[in-house]
Amino acid sequence: MTSAVNPASSQMSEAEYADQLKRATLASSLGSALEYFDFALYGLCTALIFNTLFFPQDNPAMATVASFATFGVGFIARPFGGLIFGRLGDKIGRKWVLVVTIILMGGSSTAIGFLPTYESVGMAAPIMLVIARLLQGFGAGAEQTGSSVLMAEYAPVKQRGFFAALPYIGIQAGSLMASVAFFLLTLMPEQQLMAWGWRIPFLASFLLILLALFIRMHLRESPTFVELKAADQVSEHPLRELFTSGTPGVVAAFGMRMAENGGSYMLQTLSMSYFVAVVGSTADKGILSWGVALGALIGLFTVPFSGALSDKYGRRAVYRFGSVFLLVFAFPAWWLLSLGNHFIAVAVVALGVGFGVNFMLGPQCAMFPELFGARHRYLGVAMARELSAVVAGGLAGVLGSYIIAVSNANWVLMAVYMTVLAAITTLSTFMVPETAGRDLTRLDDAVKISQHERSSASDPVVVPEAIATPLASVA
């Protein structure tokens, strides 16, 4: 493990750094809240509202599959957004890319609230839904990456796991708001819900956009990027560098996302479709949103806690705990869901999300930025996160809903699916070195460095004389 200090000391005083750290935390958290509010809300609406309003009802089961396909389209767009904005983040800076992505992502989500339905405009309705979802995914493809990179580069080194995890409280807050909003919507009379009620939370997301945009406009650039620019080390071709040296890091992070991202969407979204299929009625369709809400509430504590644990015990050990939890949890969880009991189902979703998923999410916040060198970090994290999201999260919706439709909601097949995802992630944790405390001004990638090199190469690569005196509060 290399020792390092935060480079912020070379740009600002201790008081200024503390203020900017707070701003960065708030700016990142609001962006995460907006992203996951919109995505969780879209996922909840996919199985129970969009399938009815935006698709023909000749075959309701296939309408649900088609609805989940639009959910998956957002994931397909995310790697392209990550590629474009990731390159820009490494070339022009983290801050301005985050300003653009919050506008694009939030604006697209708000637009969904204005869309006409299939009954009004026919096939134009799902087409417009797909376009809005593509734009939403395109912006989201770099939003969460930018937040995690920004916070990792701002955070005190010895507490990077904890501080980098704080914006991910926004993920829990966003998921919590979405599940509560959706549950409240289901209390409305069916006719009003389908006529106009479902539009309210999408339109309300515009308020989060304005607040996040205001804070980000008053945030300074990442200290690490400032160091890169001052040393004339900003990459002109981050994509070329990533393919040259960063591919092992992308592959390893890709594998580690299978259980975290795929398991999250299986529990938060697919479980609802599965439960409706089991009980044979949509009368209690909002019940599992309480499981999602409780899981997010637990995550408000487990995400920063697991991030802090990764500072003490290492990123890999804590991450592996979360993946093994889901590995052991998969078969009992889906069997319990198959019983059709409301209270048991809520507990299953809450435990799986709150502990299994979130114990991976906490250390991931710092670990993924630590895997990549400073010159292509934004792009590396973006590609790792978003390419994996297509397979883990996007495919989970389509393939999972198809399995439910053709297997008469066979719980064993769903359990096998989650077990495979968790096994891939568990094995992937053995592919990476321990990254806790790594100097983020280094230009090399962590995965390709031997243990001997990591132990001996403790000096920062970028202008070491500028960061030789650590900030008192960070050292």
Side-chain angles (χ1 to χ4, degrees):
M1 183 186 301
T2 55
S3 60
V5 296
N6 193 292
S9 56
S10 61
Q11 280 88 46
M12 60 190 85
S13 68
E14 182 176 346
E16 289 174 323
Y17 169 64
D19 177 66
Q20 286 297 306
L21 181 61
K22 292 177 183 177
R23 287 177 182 268
T25 302
L26 187 56
S28 301
S29 299
L30 283 172
S32 299
L34 176 61
E35 177 182 352
Y36 275 78
F37 174 76
D38 290 335
F39 264 68
L41 182 66
Y42 193 102
L44 291 168
C45 290
T46 294
L48 303 171
I49 293 178
F50 292 159
N51 60 330
T52 300
L53 294 182
F54 285 88
F55 298 92
Q57 296 300 298
D58 299 337
N59 187 332
M62 287 301 104
T64 299
V65 173
S67 183
F68 269 107
T70 68
F71 183 69
V73 160
F75 288 96
I76 294 174
R78 290 178 71 128
F80 295 99
L83 175 62
I84 299 299
F85 291 119
R87 289 178 70 250
L88 289 174
D90 284 321
K91 293 181 71 172
I92 68 173
R94 314 339 186 183
K95 170 186 172 178
W96 292 111
V97 170
L98 284 172
V99 169
V100 174
T101 56
I102 197 72
I103 294 173
L104 180 58
M105 181 184 69
S108 303
S109 300
T110 303
I112 292 175
F114 290 104
L115 294 181
T117 63
Y118 182 85
E119 185 179 1
S120 301
V121 296
M123 285 305 297
I127 291 174
M128 286 187 284
L129 183 64
V130 167
I131 292 173
R133 180 67 174 160
L134 282 169
L135 293 174
Q136 185 189 50
F138 192 75
E143 168 62 34
Q144 194 59 54
T145 294
S147 296
S148 62
V149 168
L150 183 75
M151 275 309 302
E153 292 181 343
Y154 255 109
V157 176
K158 293 182 180 180
Q159 298 172 286
R160 185 184 292 147
F162 172 74
F163 275 93
L166 291 181
Y168 279 53
I169 291 178
I171 293 178
Q172 314 309 316
S175 299
L176 181 61
M177 288 189 297
S179 56
V180 171
F182 184 79
F183 180 79
L184 292 176
L185 288 177
T186 62
L187 299 179
M188 297 178 64
E190 185 82 9
Q191 186 175 1
Q192 294 181 18
L193 170 64
M194 291 299 186
W196 54 269
W198 67 271
R199 301 179 184 274
I200 296 174
F202 287 99
L203 298 176
S205 65
F206 184 69
L207 298 176
L208 279 176
I209 301 174
L210 295 179
L211 183 57
L213 188 60
F214 174 80
I215 294 174
R216 290 182 179 186
M217 291 295 292
H218 292 81
L219 178 69
R220 293 190 188 183
E221 183 54 79
S222 152
T224 299
F225 187 81
V226 173
E227 293 285 355
L228 278 176
K229 195 170 182 179
D232 197 25
Q233 289 283 2
V234 176
S235 176
E236 289 296 322
H237 305 285
L239 183 59
R240 182 188 303 171
E241 289 188 12
L242 182 65
F243 277 108
T244 301
S245 62
T247 304
V250 173
V251 173
F254 185 101
M256 286 190 290
R257 283 271 284 168
M258 291 299 104
E260 176 266 313
N261 189 253
S264 175
Y265 280 102
M266 286 191 74
L267 289 166
Q268 294 191 56
T269 303
L270 270 179
S271 63
M272 188 172 298
S273 293
Y274 179 83
F275 193 74
V276 167
V278 167
V279 300
S281 170
T282 60
D284 298 314
K285 60 187 176 184
I287 189 67
L288 285 195
S289 65
W290 281 109
V292 177
L294 288 174
L297 188 61
I298 294 171
L300 291 175
F301 302 95
T302 54
V303 168
F305 178 65
S306 60
L309 285 179
S310 75
D311 286 322
K312 184 174 183 179
Y313 299 106
R315 316 286 188 230
R316 293 185 303 175
V318 179
Y319 206 110
R320 195 174 298 148
F321 172 84
S323 64
V324 171
F325 182 98
L326 277 191
L327 187 68
V328 175
F329 187 66
F331 272 85
W334 287 97
W335 173 72
L336 289 170
L337 286 173
S338 73
L339 300 179
N341 183 285
H342 293 167
F343 296 104
I344 292 176
V346 167
V348 165
V349 173
L351 287 174
V353 174
F355 290 96
V357 171
N358 288 328
F359 257 82
M360 290 179 279
L361 195 58
Q364 182 190 113
C365 309
M367 187 178 190
F368 281 14
E370 290 168 339
L371 289 174
F372 299 96
R375 286 165 58 92
H376 53 261
R377 176 170 297 124
Y378 201 131
L379 182 60
V381 178
M383 289 294 93
R385 283 183 55 85
E386 305 313 331
L387 289 174
S388 61
V390 175
V391 177
L395 186 61
V398 178
L399 181 58
S401 61
Y402 180 77
I403 291 174
I404 292 170
V406 301
S407 70
N408 194 28
N410 188 311
W411 72 268
V412 175
L413 294 179
M414 302 302 293
V416 169
Y417 190 2
M418 181 175 284
T419 298
V420 170
L421 294 176
I424 292 172
T425 292
T426 302
L427 291 173
S428 297
T429 62
F430 291 95
M431 295 175 56
V432 295
E434 181 53 60
T435 60
R438 193 167 194 265
D439 187 346
L440 294 187
T441 62
R442 294 180 62 164
L443 306 184
D444 50 354
D445 293 277
V447 178
K448 297 186 69 174
I449 302 174
S450 68
Q451 181 64 43
H452 172 72
E453 290 172 319
R454 290 198 307 276
S455 299
S456 60
S458 59
D459 292 332
V461 174
V462 182
V463 287
E465 66 277 7
I467 60 174
T469 305
L471 193 62
S473 63
V474 181

